[in-house]
Amino acid sequence: MIKTCIHCEDTFNLDSQNKRRVGGKINECPDCVEELQTEISETIRAVSSGDGKMACIQILKFNNEDDADLYRKGWDQWSGWNNQRSGSVHDVAFTKVGENSGNSNSKGKA
Ligand SMILES: [Zn+2]
């Protein structure tokens, strides 16, 4: 879908890889989004949990770097947490965008 940028009046493809990558509004071209930083950057982090066979990579999306760092710090700090949930990483807002569980790959035959 071809759109016209409200900033530079250039046309751009709304469905292009570049546009998808940088985000921004539907009437802002990727160049302007990057240049003007109109998109609130989202921070994607991979966090591994568990250990050994049960290890699992979670792909988490945070609202900003601070949250990501907070989570990361919290994760390190609380990775050995038992049942104390107050003030833990669970207070950080994030969205889980993916998970790569150690069990997801089916081995053997069906
Ligand atoms: Zn533009």
Side-chain angles (χ1 to χ4, degrees), residues 14-28:
L14 189 61
D15 296 316
S16 71
Q17 289 267 326
N18 212 19
K19 174 59 180 167
R20 284 170 189 270
R21 184 176 59 81
V22 300
K25 301 204 180 74
I26 60 167
N27 51 7
E28 296 173 325

PDB file of all heavy atoms in Angstrom, residues 14-28:
ATOM      1  N   LEU A  14       3.736   1.212   2.623  1.00  0.00           N
ATOM      2  CA  LEU A  14       3.372   0.931   4.012  1.00  0.00           C
ATOM      3  C   LEU A  14       3.748  -0.490   4.418  1.00  0.00           C
ATOM      4  O   LEU A  14       3.999  -0.768   5.580  1.00  0.00           O
ATOM      5  CB  LEU A  14       1.867   1.149   4.192  1.00  0.00           C
ATOM      6  CG  LEU A  14       1.329   1.110   5.631  1.00  0.00           C
ATOM      7  CD1 LEU A  14       1.967   2.191   6.481  1.00  0.00           C
ATOM      8  CD2 LEU A  14      -0.176   1.260   5.622  1.00  0.00           C
ATOM      9  N   ASP A  15       3.779  -1.366   3.438  1.00  0.00           N
ATOM     10  CA  ASP A  15       4.059  -2.771   3.746  1.00  0.00           C
ATOM     11  C   ASP A  15       5.519  -3.140   3.581  1.00  0.00           C
ATOM     12  O   ASP A  15       5.882  -4.310   3.656  1.00  0.00           O
ATOM     13  CB  ASP A  15       3.206  -3.679   2.846  1.00  0.00           C
ATOM     14  CG  ASP A  15       1.723  -3.485   3.128  1.00  0.00           C
ATOM     15  OD1 ASP A  15       1.355  -3.413   4.311  1.00  0.00           O
ATOM     16  OD2 ASP A  15       0.952  -3.381   2.172  1.00  0.00           O
ATOM     17  N   SER A  16       6.356  -2.144   3.343  1.00  0.00           N
ATOM     18  CA  SER A  16       7.770  -2.468   3.117  1.00  0.00           C
ATOM     19  C   SER A  16       8.424  -2.939   4.407  1.00  0.00           C
ATOM     20  O   SER A  16       7.993  -2.613   5.504  1.00  0.00           O
ATOM     21  CB  SER A  16       8.504  -1.245   2.581  1.00  0.00           C
ATOM     22  OG  SER A  16       8.642  -0.286   3.607  1.00  0.00           O
ATOM     23  N   GLN A  17       9.466  -3.687   4.223  1.00  0.00           N
ATOM     24  CA  GLN A  17      10.248  -4.182   5.363  1.00  0.00           C
ATOM     25  C   GLN A  17      10.728  -3.033   6.234  1.00  0.00           C
ATOM     26  O   GLN A  17      10.657  -3.072   7.445  1.00  0.00           O
ATOM     27  CB  GLN A  17      11.480  -4.933   4.840  1.00  0.00           C
ATOM     28  CG  GLN A  17      11.173  -6.263   4.205  1.00  0.00           C
ATOM     29  CD  GLN A  17      11.281  -7.402   5.210  1.00  0.00           C
ATOM     30  OE1 GLN A  17      12.115  -7.340   6.105  1.00  0.00           O
ATOM     31  NE2 GLN A  17      10.463  -8.403   5.079  1.00  0.00           N
ATOM     32  N   ASN A  18      11.220  -2.025   5.555  1.00  0.00           N
ATOM     33  CA  ASN A  18      11.786  -0.890   6.255  1.00  0.00           C
ATOM     34  C   ASN A  18      10.749  -0.214   7.142  1.00  0.00           C
ATOM     35  O   ASN A  18      11.006   0.097   8.298  1.00  0.00           O
ATOM     36  CB  ASN A  18      12.323   0.098   5.216  1.00  0.00           C
ATOM     37  CG  ASN A  18      13.514   0.842   5.742  1.00  0.00           C
ATOM     38  OD1 ASN A  18      14.155   0.398   6.703  1.00  0.00           O
ATOM     39  ND2 ASN A  18      13.828   1.970   5.138  1.00  0.00           N
ATOM     40  N   LYS A  19       9.602   0.001   6.570  1.00  0.00           N
ATOM     41  CA  LYS A  19       8.522   0.654   7.316  1.00  0.00           C
ATOM     42  C   LYS A  19       8.111  -0.189   8.508  1.00  0.00           C
ATOM     43  O   LYS A  19       7.907   0.295   9.603  1.00  0.00           O
ATOM     44  CB  LYS A  19       7.334   0.894   6.360  1.00  0.00           C
ATOM     45  CG  LYS A  19       6.107   1.439   7.030  1.00  0.00           C
ATOM     46  CD  LYS A  19       6.355   2.780   7.723  1.00  0.00           C
ATOM     47  CE  LYS A  19       5.068   3.269   8.393  1.00  0.00           C
ATOM     48  NZ  LYS A  19       5.338   4.377   9.325  1.00  0.00           N
ATOM     49  N   ARG A  20       8.007  -1.469   8.273  1.00  0.00           N
ATOM     50  CA  ARG A  20       7.641  -2.365   9.361  1.00  0.00           C
ATOM     51  C   ARG A  20       8.686  -2.327  10.465  1.00  0.00           C
ATOM     52  O   ARG A  20       8.372  -2.418  11.644  1.00  0.00           O
ATOM     53  CB  ARG A  20       7.525  -3.802   8.859  1.00  0.00           C
ATOM     54  CG  ARG A  20       6.256  -4.061   8.083  1.00  0.00           C
ATOM     55  CD  ARG A  20       6.353  -5.427   7.423  1.00  0.00           C
ATOM     56  NE  ARG A  20       5.270  -5.645   6.489  1.00  0.00           N
ATOM     57  CZ  ARG A  20       4.100  -6.194   6.810  1.00  0.00           C
ATOM     58  NH1 ARG A  20       3.894  -6.565   8.044  1.00  0.00           N
ATOM     59  NH2 ARG A  20       3.172  -6.362   5.917  1.00  0.00           N
ATOM     60  N   ARG A  21       9.936  -2.195  10.056  1.00  0.00           N
ATOM     61  CA  ARG A  21      11.014  -2.237  11.031  1.00  0.00           C
ATOM     62  C   ARG A  21      11.011  -0.999  11.913  1.00  0.00           C
ATOM     63  O   ARG A  21      11.125  -1.095  13.129  1.00  0.00           O
ATOM     64  CB  ARG A  21      12.360  -2.364  10.319  1.00  0.00           C
ATOM     65  CG  ARG A  21      13.548  -2.520  11.262  1.00  0.00           C
ATOM     66  CD  ARG A  21      14.825  -2.738  10.476  1.00  0.00           C
ATOM     67  NE  ARG A  21      15.096  -1.637   9.563  1.00  0.00           N
ATOM     68  CZ  ARG A  21      15.650  -0.484   9.924  1.00  0.00           C
ATOM     69  NH1 ARG A  21      16.005  -0.291  11.174  1.00  0.00           N
ATOM     70  NH2 ARG A  21      15.864   0.475   9.049  1.00  0.00           N
ATOM     71  N   VAL A  22      10.882   0.155  11.283  1.00  0.00           N
ATOM     72  CA  VAL A  22      11.014   1.382  12.060  1.00  0.00           C
ATOM     73  C   VAL A  22       9.706   1.790  12.727  1.00  0.00           C
ATOM     74  O   VAL A  22       9.716   2.549  13.688  1.00  0.00           O
ATOM     75  CB  VAL A  22      11.532   2.554  11.199  1.00  0.00           C
ATOM     76  CG1 VAL A  22      12.900   2.221  10.628  1.00  0.00           C
ATOM     77  CG2 VAL A  22      10.565   2.909  10.096  1.00  0.00           C
ATOM     78  N   GLY A  23       8.604   1.293  12.227  1.00  0.00           N
ATOM     79  CA  GLY A  23       7.329   1.615  12.848  1.00  0.00           C
ATOM     80  C   GLY A  23       6.852   3.010  12.479  1.00  0.00           C
ATOM     81  O   GLY A  23       6.983   3.438  11.346  1.00  0.00           O
ATOM     82  N   GLY A  24       6.341   3.724  13.448  1.00  0.00           N
ATOM     83  CA  GLY A  24       5.790   5.041  13.174  1.00  0.00           C
ATOM     84  C   GLY A  24       4.351   4.955  12.713  1.00  0.00           C
ATOM     85  O   GLY A  24       3.768   3.880  12.655  1.00  0.00           O
ATOM     86  N   LYS A  25       3.791   6.098  12.417  1.00  0.00           N
ATOM     87  CA  LYS A  25       2.395   6.126  12.009  1.00  0.00           C
ATOM     88  C   LYS A  25       2.259   5.721  10.543  1.00  0.00           C
ATOM     89  O   LYS A  25       3.234   5.683   9.805  1.00  0.00           O
ATOM     90  CB  LYS A  25       1.824   7.524  12.218  1.00  0.00           C
ATOM     91  CG  LYS A  25       1.903   7.978  13.665  1.00  0.00           C
ATOM     92  CD  LYS A  25       0.852   9.036  13.948  1.00  0.00           C
ATOM     93  CE  LYS A  25       0.929   9.494  15.397  1.00  0.00           C
ATOM     94  NZ  LYS A  25       2.090  10.354  15.635  1.00  0.00           N
ATOM     95  N   ILE A  26       1.014   5.472  10.156  1.00  0.00           N
ATOM     96  CA  ILE A  26       0.805   4.984   8.798  1.00  0.00           C
ATOM     97  C   ILE A  26       1.021   6.073   7.759  1.00  0.00           C
ATOM     98  O   ILE A  26       1.108   5.797   6.577  1.00  0.00           O
ATOM     99  CB  ILE A  26      -0.617   4.387   8.606  1.00  0.00           C
ATOM    100  CG1 ILE A  26      -1.683   5.441   8.887  1.00  0.00           C
ATOM    101  CG2 ILE A  26      -0.812   3.177   9.487  1.00  0.00           C
ATOM    102  CD1 ILE A  26      -3.062   5.014   8.417  1.00  0.00           C
ATOM    103  N   ASN A  27       1.075   7.313   8.211  1.00  0.00           N
ATOM    104  CA  ASN A  27       1.311   8.386   7.245  1.00  0.00           C
ATOM    105  C   ASN A  27       2.683   9.021   7.413  1.00  0.00           C
ATOM    106  O   ASN A  27       2.904  10.171   7.081  1.00  0.00           O
ATOM    107  CB  ASN A  27       0.208   9.444   7.350  1.00  0.00           C
ATOM    108  CG  ASN A  27      -0.003   9.911   8.776  1.00  0.00           C
ATOM    109  OD1 ASN A  27       0.753   9.544   9.665  1.00  0.00           O
ATOM    110  ND2 ASN A  27      -1.013  10.725   8.986  1.00  0.00           N
ATOM    111  N   GLU A  28       3.609   8.256   7.934  1.00  0.00           N
ATOM    112  CA  GLU A  28       4.986   8.710   8.068  1.00  0.00           C
ATOM    113  C   GLU A  28       5.899   7.724   7.369  1.00  0.00           C
ATOM    114  O   GLU A  28       5.828   6.520   7.626  1.00  0.00           O
ATOM    115  CB  GLU A  28       5.380   8.798   9.543  1.00  0.00           C
ATOM    116  CG  GLU A  28       4.592   9.832  10.316  1.00  0.00           C
ATOM    117  CD  GLU A  28       4.884   9.765  11.815  1.00  0.00           C
ATOM    118  OE1 GLU A  28       5.093   8.658  12.321  1.00  0.00           O
ATOM    119  OE2 GLU A  28       4.894  10.814  12.447  1.00  0.00           O
TER     120      GLU A  28
END
